[in-house]
Amino acid sequence: MRAVCWYGTGDIRVEDVPDPEIVQPTDAIVRITSTAICGSDLHIYDGIVPTMEKGDILGHEPMGEVVEIGSAVARLKVGDRVVVPFVVSCGYCFFCQKGLYSLCDTTNAENRAAREALGQATAGLLGYSHMMGGYPGGQAEYLRVPFADVGAIRIPAGLSDDKVLFLSDIFPTGFMAAENCDIEAGDTVAVWGCGPVGQFAIQCAWMFGAERVIAIDCVQARLAMAEQHGDAETIQFLETDVYDRLMEMTDGRGPDRCIDAVGCEAHAPGTLRAIVDRAKSAVMAGDRTHVLREAIYCCRKGGTLSVPGVYVGLLDDVPFGAAMNKGITIRTGQTHVPRYSAELLRRVQNEEIDPSFVITHHMSLDQAPEAYEMFRNRDGCIKVVLRP
């Protein structure tokens, strides 16, 4: 089969690789019909995710048709159309039973590197390094889906791939980001980053009852999408001081809830602190924490900071004293996708939201290297869907 493979920083190739096979009786094999490039994939593309190996298959936002099932698979059948979550979860361990699927104790349990880096290993993730289980990803013609009965989301007839594909990751990630904010009636929510996750965080903040949503970015196309589809007020951070503008917009109090939908590769105006951040990131000495710092300073006293943005390493110069003294609640984590699947599918079916609004490009699987470069350079590209 054809698959998108990683060979180093900025080196993505589409190659012929062996077809996946049933390994465990709980596995299924899915023929991929659509698969997307995630902002998190750019962390791999930029070379800041450790424990990648040459030839690893990328991708964690896939969907397609079930073509083979293991002997223990009971919920799925050959021919079912499914979306596959990026989190690999067993469904029966302590954490899965609590709905904390991204903390599964089974699917990455023996990973020494993860235990040393994190304290305890978290769940395996599709296509996202050997620290996260070494599972081949879904930017390919076929995908092995472990514990297929647990995660795979069966899609009813009549819904296009584009409307449901993002149930794999970015829609539930935006939803959990908003849920983690504990939004109350009348709240102002500020969202840093208007990439795909930020766009869904904006949409979902309204679902949880926000009164105002303010979106912060430097890319005009993203800000325009936040305004048009998310009904958000916007701040262009290269033109306006974010702290000053947010204080002005909230009568000096600050946003009630803040969402860092950017993570470890935050861009910032050319301050000395931002230059130091970039230098440390370049030598794997720490993540770029501009957004995290700014959100802590901007958040109102007693407010909440939700962090769906991915961080991979150590954080320097984070004003934890400000967070502590202001009484800010910080909540984060990889998304517990199966916890939200039924509700979000129902919202799509009821036409409360059409997630396809974020798609700016459809390309073939063989165009993946070009697509990664375009997405990385933000050449009018907000979300790419690849079709094998």
Short mmCIF file of all heavy atoms in Angstrom, two decimals, residues 197-236:
data_model
loop_
_atom_site.label_atom_id
_atom_site.label_comp_id
_atom_site.label_asym_id
_atom_site.label_seq_id
_atom_site.Cartn_x
_atom_site.Cartn_y
_atom_site.Cartn_z
N VAL A 197 -7.97 23.39 15.53
CA VAL A 197 -8.44 23.16 16.90
C VAL A 197 -9.01 24.44 17.49
O VAL A 197 -10.06 24.44 18.14
CB VAL A 197 -7.31 22.61 17.79
CG1 VAL A 197 -7.69 22.65 19.26
CG2 VAL A 197 -6.98 21.18 17.38
N GLY A 198 -8.35 25.57 17.26
CA GLY A 198 -8.86 26.84 17.74
C GLY A 198 -10.22 27.16 17.15
O GLY A 198 -11.11 27.67 17.85
N GLN A 199 -10.42 26.85 15.87
CA GLN A 199 -11.72 27.11 15.24
C GLN A 199 -12.82 26.30 15.92
O GLN A 199 -13.93 26.82 16.16
CB GLN A 199 -11.67 26.76 13.74
CG GLN A 199 -10.69 27.60 12.92
CD GLN A 199 -11.10 29.05 12.75
OE1 GLN A 199 -12.27 29.41 12.95
NE2 GLN A 199 -10.14 29.91 12.40
N PHE A 200 -12.53 25.04 16.25
CA PHE A 200 -13.55 24.24 16.93
C PHE A 200 -13.72 24.66 18.39
O PHE A 200 -14.83 24.59 18.93
CB PHE A 200 -13.21 22.75 16.81
CG PHE A 200 -13.58 22.17 15.48
CD1 PHE A 200 -12.60 21.83 14.56
CD2 PHE A 200 -14.91 22.01 15.12
CE1 PHE A 200 -12.94 21.32 13.32
CE2 PHE A 200 -15.25 21.50 13.88
CZ PHE A 200 -14.27 21.15 12.97
N ALA A 201 -12.64 25.10 19.03
CA ALA A 201 -12.77 25.61 20.39
C ALA A 201 -13.69 26.84 20.41
O ALA A 201 -14.50 27.00 21.34
CB ALA A 201 -11.40 25.97 20.95
N ILE A 202 -13.59 27.69 19.40
CA ILE A 202 -14.47 28.85 19.29
C ILE A 202 -15.92 28.40 19.16
O ILE A 202 -16.81 28.86 19.89
CB ILE A 202 -14.06 29.72 18.09
CG1 ILE A 202 -12.70 30.39 18.34
CG2 ILE A 202 -15.13 30.77 17.78
CD1 ILE A 202 -12.07 30.97 17.09
N GLN A 203 -16.17 27.48 18.22
CA GLN A 203 -17.53 26.98 18.02
C GLN A 203 -18.09 26.37 19.31
O GLN A 203 -19.25 26.59 19.67
CB GLN A 203 -17.52 25.92 16.91
CG GLN A 203 -17.07 26.42 15.56
CD GLN A 203 -18.20 26.89 14.68
OE1 GLN A 203 -19.35 26.52 14.89
NE2 GLN A 203 -17.90 27.70 13.68
N CYS A 204 -17.24 25.59 19.98
CA CYS A 204 -17.72 24.87 21.16
C CYS A 204 -17.87 25.78 22.38
O CYS A 204 -18.70 25.48 23.27
CB CYS A 204 -16.77 23.71 21.47
SG CYS A 204 -16.77 22.44 20.17
N ALA A 205 -17.12 26.87 22.44
CA ALA A 205 -17.32 27.83 23.54
C ALA A 205 -18.75 28.37 23.52
O ALA A 205 -19.38 28.53 24.56
CB ALA A 205 -16.31 28.97 23.43
N TRP A 206 -19.28 28.63 22.32
CA TRP A 206 -20.67 29.06 22.20
C TRP A 206 -21.62 27.96 22.68
O TRP A 206 -22.63 28.24 23.35
CB TRP A 206 -21.00 29.42 20.76
CG TRP A 206 -20.29 30.62 20.21
CD1 TRP A 206 -19.43 30.66 19.16
CD2 TRP A 206 -20.40 31.99 20.67
NE1 TRP A 206 -18.98 31.93 18.93
CE2 TRP A 206 -19.56 32.77 19.83
CE3 TRP A 206 -21.11 32.61 21.69
CZ2 TRP A 206 -19.43 34.14 20.00
CZ3 TRP A 206 -20.97 33.98 21.86
CH2 TRP A 206 -20.14 34.73 21.01
N MET A 207 -21.30 26.70 22.34
CA MET A 207 -22.16 25.58 22.76
C MET A 207 -22.29 25.50 24.28
O MET A 207 -23.32 25.10 24.81
CB MET A 207 -21.60 24.25 22.23
CG MET A 207 -21.65 24.08 20.73
SD MET A 207 -20.94 22.48 20.24
CE MET A 207 -20.94 22.65 18.45
N PHE A 208 -21.21 25.89 24.98
CA PHE A 208 -21.21 25.82 26.45
C PHE A 208 -21.73 27.10 27.10
O PHE A 208 -21.70 27.23 28.31
CB PHE A 208 -19.82 25.48 26.97
CG PHE A 208 -19.47 24.02 26.86
CD1 PHE A 208 -18.78 23.53 25.76
CD2 PHE A 208 -19.86 23.13 27.85
CE1 PHE A 208 -18.46 22.18 25.66
CE2 PHE A 208 -19.56 21.79 27.76
CZ PHE A 208 -18.87 21.30 26.66
N GLY A 209 -22.18 28.06 26.28
CA GLY A 209 -22.87 29.22 26.84
C GLY A 209 -22.06 30.48 26.99
O GLY A 209 -22.46 31.38 27.75
N ALA A 210 -20.94 30.61 26.28
CA ALA A 210 -20.16 31.85 26.34
C ALA A 210 -21.00 33.04 25.85
O ALA A 210 -21.86 32.89 24.97
CB ALA A 210 -18.90 31.73 25.50
N GLU A 211 -20.73 34.21 26.40
CA GLU A 211 -21.39 35.44 25.93
C GLU A 211 -20.57 36.13 24.86
O GLU A 211 -21.11 36.73 23.94
CB GLU A 211 -21.62 36.39 27.10
CG GLU A 211 -22.37 37.66 26.69
CD GLU A 211 -22.80 38.48 27.88
OE1 GLU A 211 -23.58 37.96 28.71
OE2 GLU A 211 -22.34 39.63 28.00
N ARG A 212 -19.24 36.06 24.98
CA ARG A 212 -18.34 36.63 23.98
C ARG A 212 -17.20 35.65 23.75
O ARG A 212 -16.75 34.98 24.68
CB ARG A 212 -17.72 37.95 24.46
CG ARG A 212 -18.68 39.06 24.73
CD ARG A 212 -17.93 40.25 25.34
NE ARG A 212 -17.07 40.95 24.38
CZ ARG A 212 -16.20 41.92 24.72
NH1 ARG A 212 -16.07 42.26 26.00
NH2 ARG A 212 -15.48 42.52 23.81
N VAL A 213 -16.71 35.58 22.51
CA VAL A 213 -15.53 34.79 22.19
C VAL A 213 -14.57 35.70 21.43
O VAL A 213 -14.97 36.35 20.45
CB VAL A 213 -15.85 33.54 21.36
CG1 VAL A 213 -14.58 32.77 21.04
CG2 VAL A 213 -16.84 32.64 22.10
N ILE A 214 -13.33 35.74 21.88
CA ILE A 214 -12.29 36.58 21.27
C ILE A 214 -11.20 35.66 20.74
O ILE A 214 -10.67 34.82 21.48
CB ILE A 214 -11.71 37.57 22.28
CG1 ILE A 214 -12.82 38.46 22.88
CG2 ILE A 214 -10.62 38.43 21.64
CD1 ILE A 214 -12.38 39.28 24.08
N ALA A 215 -10.87 35.77 19.46
CA ALA A 215 -9.89 34.91 18.81
C ALA A 215 -8.62 35.70 18.52
O ALA A 215 -8.67 36.83 18.06
CB ALA A 215 -10.47 34.35 17.52
N ILE A 216 -7.47 35.06 18.77
CA ILE A 216 -6.16 35.73 18.66
C ILE A 216 -5.28 34.94 17.72
O ILE A 216 -5.07 33.73 17.91
CB ILE A 216 -5.51 35.83 20.06
CG1 ILE A 216 -6.44 36.57 21.04
CG2 ILE A 216 -4.14 36.50 19.98
CD1 ILE A 216 -6.20 36.22 22.48
N ASP A 217 -4.73 35.60 16.71
CA ASP A 217 -3.86 34.95 15.73
C ASP A 217 -3.15 36.05 14.95
O ASP A 217 -3.43 37.24 15.15
CB ASP A 217 -4.67 34.04 14.80
CG ASP A 217 -3.85 32.88 14.24
OD1 ASP A 217 -2.87 33.15 13.51
OD2 ASP A 217 -4.19 31.72 14.52
N CYS A 218 -2.24 35.63 14.05
CA CYS A 218 -1.59 36.61 13.18
C CYS A 218 -1.87 36.34 11.71
O CYS A 218 -1.45 37.13 10.85
CB CYS A 218 -0.07 36.61 13.42
SG CYS A 218 0.75 35.07 12.95
N VAL A 219 -2.57 35.23 11.40
CA VAL A 219 -2.85 34.85 10.02
C VAL A 219 -4.24 35.35 9.66
O VAL A 219 -5.24 34.94 10.26
CB VAL A 219 -2.75 33.33 9.82
CG1 VAL A 219 -3.05 32.96 8.37
CG2 VAL A 219 -1.36 32.84 10.22
N GLN A 220 -4.32 36.23 8.66
CA GLN A 220 -5.57 36.89 8.35
C GLN A 220 -6.66 35.91 7.93
O GLN A 220 -7.83 36.07 8.28
CB GLN A 220 -5.37 37.93 7.26
CG GLN A 220 -6.55 38.88 7.10
CD GLN A 220 -6.95 39.56 8.41
OE1 GLN A 220 -6.09 40.04 9.16
NE2 GLN A 220 -8.25 39.58 8.71
N ALA A 221 -6.28 34.87 7.17
CA ALA A 221 -7.29 33.90 6.73
C ALA A 221 -7.92 33.18 7.92
O ALA A 221 -9.12 32.89 7.92
CB ALA A 221 -6.66 32.90 5.77
N ARG A 222 -7.12 32.88 8.92
CA ARG A 222 -7.65 32.22 10.12
C ARG A 222 -8.57 33.15 10.90
O ARG A 222 -9.63 32.75 11.39
CB ARG A 222 -6.50 31.75 11.01
CG ARG A 222 -5.66 30.63 10.44
CD ARG A 222 -4.53 30.31 11.40
NE ARG A 222 -3.77 29.13 10.98
CZ ARG A 222 -2.75 28.62 11.66
NH1 ARG A 222 -2.36 29.21 12.80
NH2 ARG A 222 -2.12 27.56 11.22
N LEU A 223 -8.15 34.41 11.03
CA LEU A 223 -8.99 35.38 11.73
C LEU A 223 -10.31 35.59 10.99
O LEU A 223 -11.37 35.70 11.61
CB LEU A 223 -8.24 36.70 11.88
CG LEU A 223 -7.03 36.67 12.82
CD1 LEU A 223 -6.22 37.95 12.70
CD2 LEU A 223 -7.45 36.44 14.26
N ALA A 224 -10.24 35.62 9.66
CA ALA A 224 -11.47 35.77 8.88
C ALA A 224 -12.40 34.60 9.09
O ALA A 224 -13.63 34.76 9.19
CB ALA A 224 -11.12 35.93 7.39
N MET A 225 -11.85 33.38 9.15
CA MET A 225 -12.68 32.20 9.40
C MET A 225 -13.31 32.25 10.79
O MET A 225 -14.48 31.90 10.98
CB MET A 225 -11.85 30.92 9.25
CG MET A 225 -12.63 29.64 9.46
SD MET A 225 -11.65 28.13 9.20
CE MET A 225 -11.59 28.07 7.41
N ALA A 226 -12.53 32.72 11.78
CA ALA A 226 -13.06 32.85 13.15
C ALA A 226 -14.21 33.84 13.20
O ALA A 226 -15.18 33.65 13.95
CB ALA A 226 -11.95 33.26 14.10
N GLU A 227 -14.11 34.89 12.42
CA GLU A 227 -15.18 35.88 12.37
C GLU A 227 -16.40 35.35 11.62
O GLU A 227 -17.54 35.44 12.09
CB GLU A 227 -14.70 37.16 11.68
CG GLU A 227 -13.68 37.95 12.48
CD GLU A 227 -13.15 39.16 11.73
OE1 GLU A 227 -13.37 39.22 10.49
OE2 GLU A 227 -12.54 40.03 12.35
N GLN A 228 -16.16 34.75 10.46
CA GLN A 228 -17.25 34.34 9.58
C GLN A 228 -18.00 33.13 10.13
O GLN A 228 -19.24 33.12 10.16
CB GLN A 228 -16.71 34.03 8.18
CG GLN A 228 -17.79 33.55 7.21
CD GLN A 228 -17.24 33.22 5.84
OE1 GLN A 228 -16.06 33.45 5.56
NE2 GLN A 228 -18.07 32.65 4.98
N HIS A 229 -17.25 32.11 10.55
CA HIS A 229 -17.88 30.85 10.99
C HIS A 229 -18.03 30.77 12.51
O HIS A 229 -18.88 30.02 12.99
CB HIS A 229 -17.08 29.66 10.49
CG HIS A 229 -17.10 29.50 9.00
ND1 HIS A 229 -18.16 28.91 8.33
CD2 HIS A 229 -16.21 29.86 8.04
CE1 HIS A 229 -17.92 28.92 7.03
NE2 HIS A 229 -16.74 29.49 6.83
N GLY A 230 -17.20 31.51 13.25
CA GLY A 230 -17.24 31.42 14.70
C GLY A 230 -17.84 32.62 15.39
O GLY A 230 -17.94 32.64 16.62
N ASP A 231 -18.22 33.63 14.62
CA ASP A 231 -18.82 34.84 15.19
C ASP A 231 -17.96 35.42 16.30
O ASP A 231 -18.46 35.94 17.31
CB ASP A 231 -20.23 34.53 15.71
CG ASP A 231 -21.07 35.78 15.89
OD1 ASP A 231 -20.80 36.78 15.19
OD2 ASP A 231 -21.97 35.77 16.75
N ALA A 232 -16.64 35.33 16.14
CA ALA A 232 -15.70 35.79 17.17
C ALA A 232 -15.22 37.20 16.88
O ALA A 232 -15.10 37.62 15.71
CB ALA A 232 -14.49 34.85 17.24
N GLU A 233 -14.95 37.93 17.94
CA GLU A 233 -14.17 39.16 17.83
C GLU A 233 -12.70 38.73 17.68
O GLU A 233 -12.32 37.68 18.19
CB GLU A 233 -14.36 40.01 19.08
CG GLU A 233 -15.81 40.38 19.35
CD GLU A 233 -16.02 40.94 20.74
OE1 GLU A 233 -15.47 42.02 21.03
OE2 GLU A 233 -16.71 40.27 21.55
N THR A 234 -11.89 39.54 17.03
CA THR A 234 -10.53 39.08 16.73
C THR A 234 -9.47 40.10 17.13
O THR A 234 -9.72 41.30 17.17
CB THR A 234 -10.38 38.76 15.23
OG1 THR A 234 -10.68 39.92 14.45
CG2 THR A 234 -11.30 37.61 14.81
N ILE A 235 -8.28 39.55 17.40
CA ILE A 235 -7.09 40.35 17.68
C ILE A 235 -5.97 39.84 16.80
O ILE A 235 -5.64 38.64 16.83
CB ILE A 235 -6.69 40.27 19.16
CG1 ILE A 235 -7.78 40.84 20.07
CG2 ILE A 235 -5.36 41.00 19.40
CD1 ILE A 235 -7.50 40.67 21.56
N GLN A 236 -5.37 40.73 16.01
CA GLN A 236 -4.19 40.41 15.21
C GLN A 236 -2.96 40.75 16.06
O GLN A 236 -2.64 41.92 16.26
CB GLN A 236 -4.20 41.23 13.92
CG GLN A 236 -3.72 40.53 12.68
CD GLN A 236 -2.21 40.27 12.65
OE1 GLN A 236 -1.50 40.36 13.64
NE2 GLN A 236 -1.72 39.91 11.48
#
